[in-house]
Amino acid sequence: MLRSLGQRPVTGSGEDPRVAELRTAVSRLRRELAALPTDFPDRAIAEDELAALAAMAVGGAPEIPRLRSSLLLIAGAIGSVSALARGLGEVRQAVDLFGEAPRS
């Protein structure tokens, strides 16, 4: 409900809750990808971009254009691997919490 009003809940640690949600979603998708027994051509790209997103989340203030770029690369790399669709959707939702990138 708070998100729909443009408000963000405050965490006890002072951490941006959007960053915490991004970190959680990325971690979950990384685990799902690691547990996937099948290989696919662009798996390494997905793993690299998920690592980049995880690093941005640790840094605390991710750059929105870079978040969106990584999300697109991950979505393209994962393609039609249906087992990862839910996790990818959660990462997309977490990235969307940061809003649109400012236009230059």
Side-chain angles (χ1 to χ4, degrees):
M1 176 78 171
L2 289 176
R3 285 188 196 137
S4 66
L5 299 174
Q7 298 175 350
R8 293 181 185 88
V10 177
T11 61
S13 66
E15 177 184 44
D16 185 336
R18 301 173 303 169
V19 173
E21 192 156 335
L22 177 64
R23 187 174 41 251
T24 299
V26 167
S27 178
R28 184 175 297 125
L29 183 55
R30 289 178 89 181
R31 285 191 309 270
E32 290 172 4
L33 181 58
L36 195 66
T38 58
D39 204 13
F40 52 93
D42 294 328
R43 184 178 189 135
I45 293 169
E47 290 169 344
D48 289 347
E49 289 304 317
L50 283 166
L53 283 178
M56 284 186 259
V58 168
E63 296 177 27
I64 296 169
R66 181 67 175 110
L67 285 175
R68 297 210 172 275
S69 175
S70 287
L71 177 62
L72 287 173
L73 288 168
I74 293 165
I78 289 175
S80 62
V81 180
S82 61
L84 301 175
R86 179 173 164 241
L88 178 60
E90 291 174 1
V91 171
R92 184 192 59 78
Q93 289 174 346
V95 168
D96 285 347
L97 292 175
F98 289 89
E100 292 294 319
R103 298 188 190 264
S104 14

